[in-house]
Amino acid sequence: MKIVVCVKYVPDAQGERTFNASDNTTDRTGVDGLLSELDEYAVEEALKIVEASEGEVVVLTMGPEDAEQAIRKSLQMGAHSGVHILDDALHGSDAPATSLVLAKAIEKINADGQADLVITGMASTDGTMSVVPAMLAERLGLPQVTMASEVKLEDGSVTIRRDGDVSTETITAPVPALVSVTDQINEPRYPSFKGIMAAKKKPVQTWSLADLGVDAGEVGLDAAWTKVDSFAQRPPRQQGEIVTDEGDGGQKLVEFLVSRKFV
Amino acid sequence: MAEVLVLVDHVDGAVRKTTNELLTLARRLGEPSAVFIGDGYDAAADTLGRFGAQKVYKIAGADVEGYLVAPKAEVLAQLVERTQPAAVLIGSSAEGKEIAARLAIKTNSGLITDAVDVQPGEGGPQTTQSVFAGGFTVQAYVSKGTPIITVKPNSASPEEAPASPAVEDVDVTISDAAKSARIVETKPREKTGRPDLNEAAIVVSGGRGTSGDFSPVEAFADALGAAVGASRAAVDAGWYPHSNQVGQTGKQVSPQLYVAAGISGAIQHRAGMQTSKTIVAINKDSEAPIFELVDFGVVGDLFQVLPQATEKIIQTKG
Ligand SMILES: Cc1cc2nc3c(=O)[nH]c(=O)nc-3n(C[C@H](O)[C@H](O)[C@H](O)COP(=O)(O)OP(=O)(O)OC[C@H]3O[C@@H](n4cnc5c(N)ncnc54)[C@H](O)[C@@H]3O)c2cc1C
Ligand SMILES: Nc1ncnc2c1ncn2[C@@H]1O[C@H](COP(=O)(O)O)[C@@H](O)[C@H]1O
């Protein structure tokens, strides 16, 4: 069993996230970064699967120098090796470009042994587009079994539970397949002291676009298929009236609702 | 005028309100053509015409149903190729975004997700998005291929513009690869009789402060005709279904009125409700961050405040 997990290094949601005024991209310098919390679920699920049988987990990230921290954290949790796609030309890449680079990287990883599963998070906590997994499936020609809140592997097929808007679905596909997991699926582990020590010796490869055979003109801000015209900070909501309940809080609430014609 | 393809979101022909919103937005950009995939068209015909569909592309058959998203993306790709539309509009559900994602790659087209507004612009549709938990708004456009835009529910008020669409049965060929992920079982969600969380004009949510007792939240919601939501803390504790979770990893709602009861207002919760028009909170703790967002707040115990308010609403309505 070989599993590739795509993990993203993102600005901390608790920090003041903002944009670079010069080129309208997400500012990744002003705020501390970390392994996207939603990708911890992907790492955890991969670890559970290989622990139940045997195999290896390769974590893959595309991002700036610091993104190696996302790999490091995954290795501390128990992943076996990491691949970091690092290239100045990648700055400002959109989802199609990101999926192109990740797909090429996965193909290269497959060259020394086809991965049975590619696992991703449900969304990155900064962009939250939830599109890279479907794009990866499209580019790699893999069956797409996404938004899994439960994953089962047996006899060359993967079966997931997907909690949709109007129903819960059970979906089956042959492996190799692409799986994305929700935050309902498991409880990601914390790295143990042993895990932290062991991670120091685990191999991390750094590949450039040239290593993947991707032309720099296909990625980055200028090649993006969408353009941001402008961004604006939403004026903070003006705090309205706050009352303290002195036995009449419910009535005051209804008076407010009546004044706004909700009742 | 160029066509604008609108993917119809429906359950056995019952068209969801988001589709009416998309048809309304599509009329700003060109002539709406509804793409209806699956069974039950007869039930949908009237609604699609009423909201201005000039054309309907109808794709029935076992080849598209029973599989996850990939066949739908193939259908749309074939229609995009044929009709060269001014844009493709799809609802911003998990499924909608995945269909859009695959379509973007198939047609070498730029994709904008979670738009809250779409306007005609010089070089094509201009979109507005709300990012970083609602802290910023972004104006963007697609610079390559056919603009593919997913639009959040409640981004436009549906306006009727009756038309009699020309209906075309479309034959499509779906690749075997697209049929590799099969839906082997579907369990419809239990009906609560309350409005759908995405579509509701009013949402009342409960959090850890309910201590597991959602009855005052539900009674208050029912008095207002509202949908019921929950924080992740309440969902993780098993008090309310995950399908009702509001926030980053749940539903992102944008109702006229959002009421948060016993919810502290963590950034991930805000990400799902901050664009609501009016926000009200009830919380014991006057320091709770949710109060920073509210138009009206009550510092108090939800078990006192909500039942009193419910009773008063019932009285007022007579
Ligand atoms: C990756 C990630 C994704 C997440 N996604 C989501 C998401 O989609 N949605 C979401 O909601 N959260 C999400 N969270 C969790 C989020 O960070 C918070 O933990 C969660 O929102 C807290 O829920 P809460 O406000 O109900 O609980 P708490 O933060 O514990 O707040 C409970 C509040 O209830 C008040 N209270 C207690 N008793 C009463 C009473 N009797 N009357 C009135 N008030 C009372 C308290 O004063 C307190 O403010 C996510 C977290 C992560 C890391
Ligand atoms: N730069 C990246 N490097 C590695 N994985 C990524 C990257 N961007 C997105 N992903 C993966 O795709 C998932 C969904 O991302 P998104 O479509 O950006 O919301 C994430 O949870 C990751 O698993």
Side-chain angles (χ1 to χ4, degrees):
Chain A
M1 177 72 53
K2 177 171 168 182
I3 302 178
V4 177
V5 183
C6 298
V7 297
K8 190 175 182 187
Y9 180 76
V10 298
D12 190 347
Q14 303 298 337
E16 286 287 321
R17 293 175 293 180
T18 183
F19 288 90
N20 294 313
S22 56
D23 62 1
N24 294 347
T25 56
T26 304
D27 182 11
R28 298 184 192 279
T29 54
V31 187
D32 282 345
L34 77 181
L35 166 62
S36 172
E37 281 158 315
L38 293 173
D39 293 345
E40 290 184 15
Y41 297 90
V43 174
E44 176 66 34
E45 199 59 24
L47 292 173
K48 278 171 66 180
I49 292 169
V50 298
E51 281 161 8
S53 53
E54 54 178 37
E56 56 161 338
V57 175
V58 183
V59 289
L60 167 64
T61 197
M62 166 187 132
E65 201 89 48
D66 288 347
E68 192 178 335
Q69 289 173 36
I71 294 184
R72 208 40 77 186
K73 170 93 185 270
S74 311
L75 297 178
Q76 290 172 354
M77 289 172 72
H80 300 84
S81 63
V83 173
H84 182 178
I85 312 302
L86 176 66
D87 201 305
D88 288 343
L90 288 168
H91 173 77
S93 292
D94 61 356
T98 302
S99 65
L100 171 71
V101 172
L102 293 177
K104 291 285 183 196
I106 291 165
E107 280 165 7
K108 190 169 157 80
I109 293 169
N110 280 342
D112 33 77
Q114 164 84 39
D116 300 279
L117 294 177
V118 176
I119 305 186
T120 74
M122 65 185 283
S124 46
T125 54
D126 55 346
T128 64
M129 287 181 76
S130 286
V131 296
V132 167
M135 286 181 173
L136 272 177
E138 176 73 34
R139 290 195 186 274
L140 293 166
L142 289 177
Q144 175 194 329
V145 276
T146 41
M147 294 293 197
S149 290
E150 200 183 315
V151 172
K152 271 194 243 119
L153 260 171
E154 55 201 0
D155 306 333
S157 75
V158 54
T159 301
I160 68 152
R161 188 186 92 227
R162 174 169 163 125
D163 295 323
D165 257 4
V166 291
S167 59
T168 289
E169 289 166 336
T170 307
I171 301 162
T172 294
V175 293
L178 180 131
V179 177
S180 78
V181 301
T182 72
D183 61 345
Q184 296 291 302
I185 196 164
N186 58 37
E187 202 56 62
R189 69 194 66 182
Y190 291 101
S192 64
F193 179 70
K194 215 173 119 219
I196 293 170
M197 297 314 287
K200 296 192 166 133
K201 297 194 209 76
K202 291 178 177 171
V204 177
Q205 298 188 61
T206 304
W207 295 340
S208 66
L209 286 176
D211 292 327
L212 300 180
V214 174
D215 184 75
E218 289 183 80
V219 300
L221 190 60
D222 290 339
W225 297 356
T226 50
K227 298 271 183 276
V228 171
D229 271 331
S230 63
F231 62 88
Q233 189 151 18
R234 194 184 272 266
R237 287 187 89 105
Q238 292 293 318
Q239 193 180 62
E241 190 188 351
I242 311 271
V243 300
T244 301
D245 180 30
E246 282 160 355
D248 57 355
Q251 301 201 13
K252 287 194 167 146
L253 171 56
V254 176
E255 281 160 25
F256 171 79
L257 295 179
V258 169
S259 76
R260 295 290 179 97
K261 305 209 160 46
F262 289 116
V263 175
Chain B
M1 247 202 304
E3 285 181 55
V4 177
L5 299 182
V6 170
L7 180 63
V8 178
D9 189 2
H10 69 100
V11 181
D12 299 326
V15 176
R16 304 182 82 197
K17 187 173 135 234
T18 48
T19 300
N20 307 344
E21 294 164 8
L22 295 184
L23 288 168
T24 304
L25 287 174
R27 297 205 302 269
R28 297 180 185 165
L29 310 174
E31 292 192 343
S33 295
V35 180
F36 185 94
I37 302 179
D39 297 328
Y41 176 69
D42 288 348
D46 173 59
T47 311
L48 299 180
R50 201 147 36 86
F51 287 94
Q54 299 287 331
K55 254 190 214 163
V56 174
Y57 296 107
K58 207 172 114 199
I59 299 94
D63 256 15
V64 269
E65 301 234 307
Y67 304 99
L68 191 63
V69 306
K72 291 183 179 159
E74 285 194 357
V75 167
L76 284 173
Q78 289 167 36
L79 285 171
V80 165
E81 174 123 358
R82 201 183 106 189
T83 63
Q84 300 290 316
V88 182
L89 303 186
I90 301 175
S92 256
S93 59
E95 182 180 31
K97 290 205 272 188
E98 290 177 340
I99 293 168
R102 300 188 72 121
L103 179 63
I105 300 301
K106 281 180 194 300
T107 60
N108 283 313
S109 296
L111 162 66
I112 288 172
T113 54
D114 295 319
V116 294
D117 194 18
V118 185
Q119 296 286 348
E122 267 169 41
Q126 292 278 333
T127 62
T128 306
Q129 290 159 290
S130 171
V131 302
F132 295 158
F136 283 82
T137 55
V138 173
Q139 308 286 329
Y141 63 96
V142 168
S143 52
K144 180 163 182 211
T146 302
I148 299 169
I149 301 166
T150 77
V151 182
K152 279 197 174 187
N154 282 335
S155 295
S157 35
E159 284 158 27
E160 300 192 3
S164 322
V167 182
E168 182 189 331
D169 282 296
V170 183
D171 260 337
V172 290
T173 39
I174 304 296
S175 71
D176 286 340
K179 293 190 276 189
S180 56
R182 278 185 310 122
I183 300 170
V184 291
E185 194 188 324
T186 301
K187 274 204 213 105
R189 189 128 298 124
E190 262 175 59
K191 295 234 173 8
T192 59
R194 298 195 177 90
D196 181 283
L197 199 50
N198 276 322
E199 299 181 355
I202 304 180
V203 174
V204 180
S205 293
R208 205 194 305 271
T210 64
S211 306
D213 179 4
F214 262 66
S215 57
V217 172
E218 290 184 334
F220 183 66
D222 291 343
L224 289 168
V228 176
S231 73
R232 174 161 157 192
V235 170
D236 282 354
W239 301 338
Y240 229 68
H242 179 250
S243 50
N244 295 65
Q245 182 177 313
V246 172
Q248 186 189 14
T249 54
K251 300 258 153 57
Q252 278 109 52
V253 300
S254 204
Q256 297 298 319
L257 170 65
Y258 186 84
V259 181
I263 293 177
S264 61
I267 182 99
Q268 294 90 355
H269 188 78
R270 291 177 179 212
M273 45 68 76
Q274 198 159 23
T275 54
S276 306
K277 309 293 175 296
T278 301
I279 298 175
V280 167
I282 301 105
N283 197 303
K284 275 207 295 214
D285 174 8
S286 64
E287 304 283 309
I290 190 81
F291 284 126
E292 293 162 18
L293 307 179
V294 299
D295 296 286
F296 189 82
V298 183
V299 180
D301 187 338
L302 71 90
F303 290 98
Q304 306 292 327
V305 176
L306 287 183
Q308 185 181 68
T310 306
E311 198 169 315
K312 178 93 182 160
I313 292 169
I314 293 169
Q315 271 175 19
T316 309
K317 283 186 172 167

